[in-house]
């Protein structure tokens, strides 16, 4: 029996599998070792995962997560998993590997993540062969929910929103500069906080000001994370994540401006990952 986790900074989808198929599934908050340490992750797993999977004793746990590219960050998550499942082997991989396996299968392509955060890689059908630098929430994450949230909040605080949007924003969030600054600079998970404002863009996407903002944010992603790959126009490009999925119509429009061929767009890679590991179990 194996346990698979696909974790972003906001939520984690879990699947428990055996050789016959799916046994159970669960949903918890997201984990990111840049913001959480081993005891914090372990305690959250004990409080929210174990009650959903009573008696589960997987022999292996495959965790694909945001912020898990460096070994020291992988070790933080692995230690938490072993505290919760002491008899299991813990395998921690970057969420890009999950995206590439779920989106490209065994074919070459560009795999992109557009959720709370953003990232991309060039995949040769078996492994990631190139990954453009991702600078995280503060310096990068172009096109992500956090990035879009920052743009709409900046426009609100700088009095740059059209009057109708400014009023709608005020009535919806009842917030101000001090509260926003406190959440961004003093409280944990500023990326999650900012990503929450992306829903405002989704709800007002037909407004010309918002539509242009969405296009600009997505265009920034293509500029930083897609068109720098060699021969990108000749390769199939795939996307996974809530931002890619819910803005998929605008995403395809912006992609055409860069000559990018968008193929698969998924909200989550968990189903593709389940199929991948299910095949390994039956071998």
């Amino acid at each position: 029996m194996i346990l698979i986790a696909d974790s972003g900074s906001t939520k984690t989808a879990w699947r428990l599998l055996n050789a016959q198929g799916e046994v159970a599934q669960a949903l918890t908050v997201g984990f990111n070792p840049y913001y959480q340490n081993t005891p914090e992750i372990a305690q959250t797993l004990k409080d929210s995962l174990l009650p959903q999977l009573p008696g589960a004793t997987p022999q292996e746990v495959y965790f694909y997560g945001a912020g898990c590219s460096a070994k020291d960050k992988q070790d933080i998550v692995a230690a938490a998993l072993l505290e919760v499942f002491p008899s299991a082997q813990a395998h921690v991989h970057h969420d890009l590997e999950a995206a590439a396996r779920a989106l490209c299968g065994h074919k070459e392509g560009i795999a992109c993540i557009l959720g709370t955060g953003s990232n991309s890689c060039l995949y040769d059908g078996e492994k990631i062969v190139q990954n453009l630098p991702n600078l995280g929430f503060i310096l990068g994450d172009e096109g992500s929910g956090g990035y879009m949230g920052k743009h709409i909040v900046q426009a609100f605080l700088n009095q740059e929103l059209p009057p109708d949007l400014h009023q709608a924003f005020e009535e919806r969030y009842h917030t101000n500069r001090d509260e926003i600054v406190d959440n961004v600079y003093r409280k944990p998970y500023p990326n999650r906080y900012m990503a929450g404002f992306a829903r405002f863009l989704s709800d007002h996407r037909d407004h010309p000001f918002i539509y242009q903002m969405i296009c600009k944010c997505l265009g920034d992603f293509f500029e930083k994370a897609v068109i720098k790959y060699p021969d990108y126009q000749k390769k199939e490009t795939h996307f996974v994540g809530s931002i890619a999925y819910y803005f998929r119509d605008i995403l395809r429009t912006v992609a055409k401006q860069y000559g990018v061929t968008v193929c698969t767009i998924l909200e989550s890679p968990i189903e593709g990952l389940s199929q991948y590991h299910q095949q390994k179990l039956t071998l």
Side-chain angles (χ1 to χ4, degrees):
M1 186 177 293
I2 67 171
L3 181 63
I4 305 166
D6 166 51
S7 182
S9 294
T10 301
K11 60 181 181 296
T12 304
W14 301 81
R15 295 290 187 275
L16 189 64
L17 308 175
N18 61 20
Q20 288 70 47
E22 183 178 297
V23 176
Q25 57 182 283
L27 186 67
T28 67
V29 298
F31 303 97
N32 191 317
Y34 279 93
Y35 302 125
Q36 297 152 291
N37 58 32
T38 293
E40 291 171 340
I41 295 173
Q43 190 60 53
T44 302
L45 291 175
K46 292 174 184 177
D47 292 341
S48 61
L49 178 62
L50 292 184
Q52 297 182 65
L53 302 174
T57 56
Q59 286 77 47
E60 294 183 280
V61 181
Y62 290 88
F63 185 97
Y64 298 86
C68 293
S69 57
K71 188 178 186 306
D72 61 325
K73 304 305 179 187
Q74 293 174 351
D75 290 343
I76 289 172
V77 177
L81 293 170
L82 291 175
E83 184 175 332
V84 178
F85 301 106
S87 62
Q89 294 182 13
H91 311 275
V92 180
H93 303 279
H94 195 224
D95 57 353
L96 263 181
E97 191 165 347
R101 288 177 172 177
L103 292 168
C104 301
H106 294 288
K107 296 181 180 180
E108 180 189 34
I110 299 172
C112 304
I113 297 173
L114 277 179
T116 301
S118 67
N119 212 333
S120 71
C121 69
L122 181 61
Y123 184 71
D124 69 358
E126 295 296 330
K127 62 183 181 299
I128 294 172
V129 294
Q130 187 178 354
N131 172 215
L132 295 171
N134 178 276
L135 303 180
F137 171 68
I138 300 298
L139 298 176
D141 269 352
E142 289 82 5
S144 69
Y147 191 76
M148 289 187 179
K150 282 192 292 186
H151 276 68
I152 190 65
V153 167
Q154 286 171 343
F156 171 72
L157 294 178
N158 290 324
Q159 302 290 317
E160 295 170 349
L161 291 177
D164 56 334
L165 288 176
H166 189 93
Q167 181 179 348
F169 194 94
E170 279 189 326
E171 292 176 351
R172 178 164 181 170
Y173 295 109
H174 303 286
T175 189
N176 54 49
R177 177 192 178 279
D178 291 341
E179 182 179 65
I180 292 171
V181 168
D182 187 57
N183 276 280
V184 172
Y185 291 101
R186 297 185 181 91
K187 293 185 179 180
Y189 320 122
N191 57 335
R192 288 187 199 170
Y193 173 73
M194 276 298 176
F197 292 104
R199 295 175 183 172
F200 185 84
L201 281 80
S202 180
D203 292 342
H204 296 272
R205 65 169 65 201
D206 293 332
H207 193 292
F209 185 93
I210 296 296
Y211 185 85
Q212 289 303 316
M213 181 178 285
I214 296 169
C215 289
K216 173 64 166 59
C217 290
L218 295 176
D220 290 345
F221 177 80
F222 282 100
E223 294 279 355
K224 298 292 185 182
V226 177
I227 68 173
K228 292 181 179 179
Y229 290 116
D231 298 322
Y232 72 92
Q233 291 175 315
K234 299 179 182 179
K235 295 178 172 61
E236 293 184 345
T237 302
H238 312 271
F239 288 84
V240 66
S242 57
I243 294 298
Y245 186 78
Y246 289 105
F247 291 106
R248 57 190 180 276
D249 53 337
I250 305 176
L251 178 65
R252 291 187 185 277
T253 298
V254 175
K256 288 181 180 178
Q257 298 172 6
Y258 290 92
V260 173
T261 302
V262 176
C263 295
T264 305
I265 300 177
L266 300 175
E267 184 175 6
S268 166
I270 191 64
E271 295 302 329
L273 283 175
S274 296
Q275 294 176 10
Y276 175 85
H277 285 285
Q278 190 68 55
Q279 291 174 352
K280 292 183 65 176
L281 276 173
T282 56
L283 290 178

